[in-house]
Amino acid sequence: MRPLLIRGGRVVDPSQKLDAVADVLLADGRVVAVGERLDAPEGAEIVDASGLVVAPGLIDVHVHLREPGQEHKETIRSGARAAAAGGFTAVVAMPNTDPPVDDPAAVGFVRAQGIAARAARVFPTGCITVGQLGEQLTEFGEMKSAGAVAVTDDGKPVVSGGMLRMALEYALTFDLPVAVHEEDPTLSRHGSMNEGIIASRLGLTGIPNAAEDVMIARDLMLAELTGGRLHVQHVSTRRGVELIREAKARGVRVTAEGTPHHFTLTDAAVEAYRTDAKMNPPLRSAADRDAVRQGVADGTLCVIATDHAPHHYDEKEQAFEDAPNGIVGLETALGLSYTELVETGLTDLPTLIERMSCAPARSMSLAGLGSLAAGSLADVTILDPRIEWTVDPRTFLSMSRNTPFGGRQLRCRAVMTIVGGKTAWQLEGKQG
């Protein structure tokens, strides 16, 4: 493999508190050095990054790649390629496939398919409970040995508090984070959007904030009780943000996600029964959206994750209450996050990179990622904050097109995604 010298970019690496114009040298799959006017080794490929931002590779810790079982929506290969096109060098795949990834063989399959994709790295997770039924814990240790970086029943809550306590205690043995989808089904009642005026006007069953809040409160208390590593997925409510902020202040071991759709949209996006705006947890009020934005800005929600959830066109073309939840997000996340958080002055670029690279790596203990320190894996995202572009779902590398952001004007885009020292994706027309 030829060495790669990225020359003259603005290197932003929050893991080292680095923000300066410098060169980055990659060789043998590792970062060799970051510094001014580095010498190019013989035969090195040189990328001119003048005017561009060079960052540790972006990481998405919450994606649905649908394989095995639903390859008509997405495959591990197509999802990994879409991730690279969005600037992500690594993704963490959720296990709610068909069948669910709940044993080491299934974990190994996802890992092997991710390697074969030759795009963004794919890290598997395993289910907390067998078949996501909430009745019996899976073999955490065996799944970790097969490559799982976390356990989660994402898509379904662990309804039993006793079961989640056991999961947190069991996961401690293997230092695995337990990632949780927070929903009390007796309160959500198979609802299809946020409970409120808009739901009433549309005649749709609403999901109250309390359905999420009570589970977040419970699980934070269980994490405090056990000392386990809790990761709260896709937080959507203002009280949820407050609860996590308070728990962090008490020293509870918790990390948490904010998604671009939850800090960008409100339940008004559901008007006219737009199924591309249907998700779980649902889009909520402006006050909730603003709380999520603030939570991301101040680090309460230390991770930006997409909850990339591809669905076939026909599935989303059903009556609103029958349509599946979720939107695709890998190819819009960077632009949405920069536009909504940095362009508005709510936060700055180094903080955005911290939320999309460094903190995700720490939350899932992804060794060697989320940093450009010497010896780190040679995963780099080169982005251009000056680019203005329009979301066109027809150009997505994902197999699915279910997004409410079609036609939206965004700023900032990845121009090159480097994985293991090799270019995994490059924006057409941008030459290194």
Side-chain angles (χ1 to χ4, degrees), residues 187-215:
L187 289 171
S188 59
R189 300 174 303 136
H190 303 290
S192 55
M193 69 168 294
N194 182 55
E195 183 176 278
I197 294 174
I198 295 175
S200 297
R201 184 168 66 249
L202 295 177
L204 297 173
T205 304
I207 301 173
N209 285 25
E212 186 173 342
D213 296 342
V214 296
M215 295 293 271

Side-chain angles (χ1 to χ4, degrees), residues 325-337:
N325 292 304
I327 67 171
V328 292
L330 286 168
E331 294 169 78
T332 55
L334 176 58
L336 283 167
S337 299

Side-chain angles (χ1 to χ4, degrees), residues 60 62-64 74 79 82-83 85-88 91 259-261 304-311 326-337 356 389 391 396 398 400-405 410:
D60 188 351
H62 191 158
V63 304
H64 299 268
E74 192 82 281
F88 292 101
V91 297
T259 72
H261 47 274
I304 292 175
T306 67
D307 191 9
H308 175 79
H311 292 291
I327 67 171
V328 292
L330 286 168
E331 294 169 78
T332 55
L334 176 58
L336 283 167
S337 299
M356 298 188 76
W389 59 288
V391 177
F396 288 172
S398 170
S400 295
R401 305 285 183 265
N402 51 303
T403 176
F405 296 113
L410 300 178

Side-chain angles (χ1 to χ4, degrees), residues 244-268:
I244 294 165
R245 185 178 290 121
E246 293 161 2
K248 284 190 169 187
R250 297 196 306 273
V252 177
R253 297 178 70 192
V254 58
T255 53
E257 304 167 0
T259 72
H261 47 274
H262 284 124
F263 61 67
T264 300
L265 301 174
T266 70
D267 54 0

Side-chain angles (χ1 to χ4, degrees), residues 25-221:
L25 178 60
L26 312 175
D28 298 322
R30 298 277 175 175
V31 178
V32 176
V34 177
E36 296 183 15
R37 295 182 292 277
L38 296 179
D39 292 331
E42 184 176 353
E45 178 184 354
I46 298 177
V47 173
D48 181 6
S50 302
L52 303 176
V53 174
V54 180
L58 306 185
I59 301 167
D60 188 351
V61 301
H62 191 158
V63 304
H64 299 268
L65 299 182
R66 302 305 188 199
E67 188 179 359
Q70 297 179 320
E71 290 86 352
H72 64 290
K73 302 183 182 190
E74 192 82 281
T75 64
I76 291 171
R77 181 176 183 272
S78 68
R81 292 177 67 237
F88 292 101
T89 59
V91 297
V92 175
M94 296 296 102
N96 58 331
T97 50
D98 183 17
V101 178
D102 62 0
D103 61 34
V107 170
F109 168 80
V110 174
R111 183 172 181 272
Q113 292 293 97
I115 293 170
R118 297 183 181 275
R121 300 178 193 267
V122 176
F123 293 96
T125 58
C127 296
I128 296 172
T129 63
V130 176
Q132 294 189 298
L133 298 176
E135 298 171 354
Q136 178 184 347
L137 292 181
T138 57
E139 295 291 343
F140 291 8
E142 292 182 8
M143 292 194 299
K144 181 175 181 178
S145 296
V149 298
V151 290
T152 178
D153 275 0
D154 182 51
K156 294 182 179 179
V158 178
V159 177
S160 166
M163 183 64 67
L164 190 70
R165 176 182 179 172
M166 284 194 292
L168 286 162
E169 291 172 336
Y170 186 30
L172 268 175
T173 308
F174 309 103
D175 193 30
L176 280 171
V178 178
V180 284
H181 170 110
E182 302 289 36
E183 177 185 355
D184 182 337
T186 66
L187 289 171
S188 59
R189 300 174 303 136
H190 303 290
S192 55
M193 69 168 294
N194 182 55
E195 183 176 278
I197 294 174
I198 295 175
S200 297
R201 184 168 66 249
L202 295 177
L204 297 173
T205 304
I207 301 173
N209 285 25
E212 186 173 342
D213 296 342
V214 296
M215 295 293 271
I216 291 176
R218 183 201 73 174
D219 293 351
L220 290 169
M221 287 188 281

Side-chain angles (χ1 to χ4, degrees), residues 406-421:
R408 197 178 186 101
Q409 299 289 318
L410 300 178
R411 192 177 182 93
C412 188
R413 196 164 191 180
V415 297
M416 184 177 288
T417 306
I418 299 166
V419 179

